[in-house]
Amino acid sequence: MKTSFRILLLGLCLSFVVVSCKKTTKTEVAVADTYVADHYTKQEVDIEMRDGVKLHTTIYSPKDTSKEYPIIMQRTPYSSQPYGEGNFRTQIGPNVNLMKEGNIIVYQDVRGRWMSEGHYENMRAYIPNKTSDDQVDESSDTYDTIEWLVNNVENNNGKVGIWGISYPGFYATYATVDAHPALKAASPQACIGDFFFDDFHHNGAYLLSYFRATALFGTPRPNGDQPVDTAWYVLPDLPTEDQYQFFLDAGPLKNLDYFYEYETGDTPKMRPEGVTDDFFWNELKEHPNYDEMWQSRGLIQHLKDVKSSVATMIVGGWFDAEDLYGPLETYKNIEKYNEGNYNTMVFGPWDHGRWARRNGRSLVGNYYFGDSISEFFQDNIETKFFNHFLKGDGDMDSGLPEAYVFDTGKKEWKQYDAWPPANMVKQTMYLSENQKLTSEQKGTLGIQFISDIKKPVPYSEDVKTVFTPRKYMTDDQRFAARRSDVLVFETDVLDEDFTLAGDIMAKLKVATTGTAADWIVKIVDVHPAEAETNEEMQDHLRMSNYHLMVRSEVMRGRFRNSFSNPEPFTPNQKTDVNIKLQDVFHTFKKGHRLQVQVQSTWFPLIDLNPQTYVENIFKADASDFKTQTHTVFTDSNIEFSVLK
């Protein structure tokens, strides 16, 4: 979610790099990239919205004024820096091709962020059927911005595109609802869809691993919420390199409140008098259930009326730890409710936003997927999409498929006319005794394990503190498979390729001695002993018998029947818990094994469940946390989407 801001900071930090030559003492100073400054003029304007609020907007226009150009814009909460008309970004636009071919590139600080006026609302709710100019949202702000741009920016051809990764991807999706007639192409990428299922929550479970990111969205701007050109927030500094132990020692979530009480002797005073709390942290604490606040801010339910005049290309990474729900549900809901729209999806073997880089070898964590995969996307898919709808005919025949998807097992691109593919079928496998994953049910035996709240299952074997987690999505799961509180179910060695293409539904039959529990299901590709190790792998690991996590998900058990109305478990009573795992496209190759892991803690990726029912886990006491014994029954099954 922080991709745009991170890339910006990285670009600023690496403007001058000293490279040492191993063979000589000579040093070379990298030449600053001045392509944008050489080929573009820059203008900064404050565009007035319908309610009078002005949004700070940066416009890069080609110096060659002999022809007209489309406008490609990004709206962001992460700043349109660098500010000042003499200061240029080193790269603009979705990719280097679209920059060098010539387009008018626009960046805008969204309402209430950085240099824009107004008040910021995290995931501002959409207002349908607006009746006055005082009713504003991100859709109206985008409309008003486009209206100004097409009427005031010289040499534009009247066609506008929008893109963004993560939070800017959310704004790109938002632009398609009540869209301006000039908006012809939108590419929401890793787009947030709903904060109860993306980023900070998964199926109602709070992602403790995102704790530090809270400050980025919930710190009020200083000086009465006035525009500011420098960062006004400070991310919590955890005094450790071992976040597992830190959060375990910290205890209940309420013990972390002090990190967001800004006006203390240890933290610089940045807020107006009387403001001592992070408003997003407060929202997380006061709204533990999927109530009206979260529901109103979700964008997925408003995609029933995406304008047919806007072509959409949804982009995501199969191993995106931050926003996987958003892009998949955005594509599916536009597709479901808007028959006849041009709507496509592109999913590759990437973590969050990796497709925007040109790194050569493509990896997520330890796992290598091939060479120049992001470059292929930029050169052959993304550029083609925008050029067709902004410079070309803009008809339905763009030359791109409905689904451009990367098989992460075979490590190759595939093209389909629909997603899931037409030849996908559902196939059920059962969690049987003796660690077997079988095609038929083998009984209803209960398999027990102790969930010790003092020794929760780690989500990674790495010892480090991260801003947000990423590499765990492909981490080797051997460390978990060898724990007694992780149940393992596995096929025999496969005698032919087995391809999953679509979503996965885990249908668990469980019981617990307590009244609350989380349930985690992981789908794992167990590699053969002779698998070759790639050069980037961590030193202590080998690809031999590597347990590649293909997909995983958590269900906070209290939400098993309703995300809005939680309920406790009845102790020792057999209970259904269904967990939808997001789509995959992965071939388990001949000679591999398909493995399922089931556990009840995943720390500190998600916060620790007390395992006794409380109304609000954010306000639980230490005495509420109890070790419990959980049971998984062998009539539990996994429904896979299998390509035939």
Side-chain angles (χ1 to χ4, degrees):
M1 174 165 38
K2 283 55 68 177
T3 301
S4 298
F5 189 55
R6 283 178 173 173
I7 291 174
L8 174 61
L9 291 179
L10 186 61
L12 293 174
C13 293
L14 298 181
S15 294
F16 295 92
V17 179
V18 177
V19 180
S20 297
C21 179
K22 294 181 180 179
K23 295 183 179 180
T24 71
T25 58
K26 180 182 177 180
T27 60
E28 297 179 1
V29 178
V31 178
D33 187 348
T34 61
Y35 183 90
V36 178
D38 293 342
H39 293 84
Y40 284 84
T41 60
K42 179 185 175 186
Q43 179 187 13
E44 294 187 39
V45 298
D46 293 323
I47 301 176
E48 186 172 336
M49 301 293 103
R50 64 190 63 180
D51 64 344
V53 169
K54 295 178 180 179
L55 303 188
H56 191 79
T57 309
T58 301
I59 304 165
Y60 293 90
S61 298
K63 288 183 177 180
D64 179 0
T65 58
S66 64
K67 54 185 175 180
E68 294 181 337
Y69 302 93
I71 297 169
I72 305 179
M73 64 183 295
Q74 180 183 107
R75 305 186 67 244
T76 177
Y78 301 132
S79 175
S80 58
Q81 289 179 339
Y83 298 113
E85 294 191 5
N87 299 319
F88 288 77
R89 293 188 178 211
T90 56
Q91 182 173 322
I92 57 174
N95 64 54
V96 67
N97 304 313
L98 292 167
M99 175 181 73
K100 292 188 174 182
E101 289 175 6
N103 288 282
I104 299 167
I105 307 297
V106 175
Y107 295 90
Q108 183 179 73
D109 294 338
V110 297
R111 181 181 292 254
R113 296 289 284 186
W114 293 87
M115 289 296 289
S116 285
E117 297 177 349
H119 179 68
Y120 174 67
E121 291 184 16
N122 202 9
M123 300 285 287
R124 189 183 303 274
Y126 168 65
I127 304 172
N129 305 314
K130 300 174 183 65
T131 58
S132 75
D133 287 346
D134 292 329
Q135 292 184 318
V136 294
D137 55 22
E138 305 303 341
S139 175
S140 66
D141 282 353
T142 308
Y143 190 105
D144 294 350
T145 299
I146 293 175
E147 178 71 10
W148 190 94
L149 292 171
V150 297
N151 285 294
N152 292 278
V153 177
E154 295 181 356
N155 300 312
N156 83 81
N157 71 358
K159 296 181 179 180
V160 179
I162 190 168
W163 98 103
I165 298 173
S166 196
Y167 217 140
F170 166 79
Y171 295 116
T173 307
Y174 223 131
T176 68
V177 182
D178 295 338
H180 191 284
L183 184 64
K184 301 301 181 184
S187 184
Q189 304 181 1
C191 45
I192 304 167
D194 190 316
F195 259 169
F196 205 73
F197 302 96
D198 282 310
D199 289 293
F200 292 91
H201 298 92
H202 275 209
N203 289 328
Y206 170 61
L207 265 70
L208 183 58
S209 53
Y210 283 70
F211 175 74
R212 296 180 67 221
T214 306
L216 188 60
F217 305 104
T219 306
R221 284 193 300 187
N223 303 320
D225 206 11
Q226 292 300 302
V228 60
D229 63 0
T230 54
W232 63 96
Y233 47 82
V234 175
L235 303 180
D237 183 17
L238 302 187
T240 180
E241 293 183 4
D242 186 350
Q243 63 180 5
Y244 179 100
Q245 195 63 47
F246 173 80
F247 284 120
L248 192 63
D249 292 343
L253 289 174
K254 66 180 183 179
N255 291 346
L256 300 174
D257 283 354
Y258 70 94
F259 280 102
Y260 293 119
E261 295 171 353
Y262 295 127
E263 300 187 10
T264 68
D266 298 325
T267 309
K269 182 175 179 180
M270 300 173 293
R271 294 315 74 79
E273 289 296 332
V275 178
T276 58
D277 292 321
D278 183 292
F279 61 80
F280 186 38
W281 179 244
N282 287 336
E283 288 174 345
L284 290 166
K285 291 194 303 177
E286 298 303 324
H287 299 271
N289 306 326
Y290 193 51
D291 58 15
E292 192 278 334
M293 187 201 76
W294 295 116
Q295 293 173 30
S296 69
R297 297 182 183 187
L299 193 55
I300 299 299
Q301 62 266 37
H302 298 299
L303 300 180
K304 296 181 179 180
D305 297 303
V306 171
K307 297 293 186 183
S308 60
S309 56
V310 184
T312 49
M313 183 178 75
I314 316 302
V315 181
W318 289 129
F319 300 103
D320 189 339
E322 299 180 44
D323 297 302
L324 184 59
Y325 168 91
L328 284 169
E329 290 301 311
T330 297
Y331 166 77
K332 291 178 181 180
N333 278 272
I334 294 176
E335 192 69 14
K336 179 179 179 180
Y337 294 109
N338 301 275
E339 185 177 356
N341 280 29
Y342 182 96
N343 179 47
T344 61
M345 60 175 279
V346 183
F347 271 76
W350 300 304
D351 59 13
H352 193 62
R354 186 74 61 171
W355 52 89
R357 306 179 190 177
R358 300 178 77 89
N359 295 135
R361 287 176 65 84
S362 297
L363 298 99
V364 177
N366 287 301
Y367 203 84
Y368 169 69
F369 290 101
D371 290 335
S372 302
I373 297 172
S374 297
E375 289 86 341
F376 177 84
F377 162 73
Q378 294 174 35
D379 298 345
N380 299 287
I381 303 175
E382 185 177 47
T383 299
K384 190 172 185 178
F385 169 76
F386 278 113
N387 281 346
H388 179 75
F389 289 102
L390 300 181
K391 295 180 178 178
D393 293 336
D395 59 15
M396 298 294 285
D397 185 12
S398 68
L400 295 170
E402 173 79 11
Y404 223 134
V405 287
F406 192 92
D407 184 328
T408 55
K410 288 186 175 179
K411 301 182 180 179
E412 61 185 22
W413 286 103
K414 293 290 186 180
Q415 301 181 36
Y416 294 104
D417 294 332
W419 184 263
N423 53 336
M424 181 275 289
V425 298
K426 296 293 185 179
Q427 183 171 330
T428 298
M429 293 186 179
Y430 289 86
L431 309 185
S432 298
E433 57 183 309
N434 297 319
Q435 299 190 5
K436 295 292 187 179
L437 186 63
T438 61
S439 58
E440 297 180 354
Q441 182 180 330
K442 300 292 186 179
T444 58
L445 176 73
I447 305 173
Q448 293 186 334
F449 66 94
I450 296 172
S451 181
D452 188 343
I453 53 108
K454 295 294 186 182
K455 296 180 180 180
V457 180
Y459 77 92
S460 172
E461 64 178 342
D462 292 345
V463 178
K464 61 182 180 181
T465 296
V466 298
F467 176 64
T468 56
R470 292 193 176 186
K471 71 175 283 291
Y472 84 93
M473 293 287 284
T474 61
D475 266 356
D476 187 351
Q477 297 299 307
R478 271 176 284 201
F479 77 94
R482 294 165 181 172
R483 286 180 58 117
S484 61
D485 51 358
V486 177
L487 303 185
V488 174
F489 307 90
E490 194 172 81
T491 65
D492 294 331
V493 174
L494 298 173
D495 56 13
E496 61 181 15
D497 288 355
F498 184 75
T499 302
L500 303 185
D503 63 14
I504 300 167
M505 180 64 76
K507 301 178 180 179
L508 302 184
K509 314 284 187 180
V510 300
T512 175
T513 55
T515 51
D518 293 333
W519 301 95
I520 295 99
V521 172
K522 298 185 290 193
I523 309 301
V524 177
D525 182 345
V526 180
H527 288 49
E530 64 271 18
E532 294 185 3
T533 301
N534 55 275
E535 61 189 58
E536 296 89 352
M537 185 165 287
Q538 290 171 281
D539 290 342
H540 69 286
L541 293 175
R542 295 294 181 269
M543 191 58 70
S544 176
N545 197 40
Y546 193 91
H547 284 37
L548 170 68
M549 191 167 74
V550 173
R551 184 61 72 239
S552 55
E553 193 54 277
V554 57
M555 172 61 74
R556 179 133 285 174
R558 63 176 53 218
F559 297 122
R560 64 193 180 278
N561 295 319
S562 170
F563 291 110
S564 301
N565 299 297
E567 57 188 289
F569 286 90
T570 300
N572 302 310
Q573 179 174 300
K574 189 175 183 180
T575 306
D576 291 340
V577 175
N578 295 330
I579 309 172
K580 178 185 176 183
L581 285 72
Q582 301 300 334
D583 295 33
V584 301
F585 185 36
H586 184 87
T587 295
F588 293 76
K589 298 177 74 173
K590 178 181 177 180
H592 291 225
R593 288 170 287 166
L594 191 161
Q595 181 186 95
V596 174
Q597 295 184 10
V598 180
Q599 60 199 62
S600 191
T601 50
W602 211 13
F603 194 76
L605 182 69
I606 61 171
D607 65 311
L608 199 59
N609 194 313
Q611 303 192 136
T612 56
Y613 187 83
V614 294
E615 291 298 323
N616 186 343
I617 294 178
F618 282 91
K619 299 180 179 180
D621 296 319
S623 59
D624 294 319
F625 290 77
K626 305 289 185 183
T627 292
Q628 304 289 355
T629 298
H630 300 327
T631 303
V632 175
F633 295 91
T634 57
D635 50 346
S636 300
N637 65 77
I638 312 291
E639 184 182 77
F640 294 105
S641 299
V642 180
L643 196 63
K644 293 296 186 180

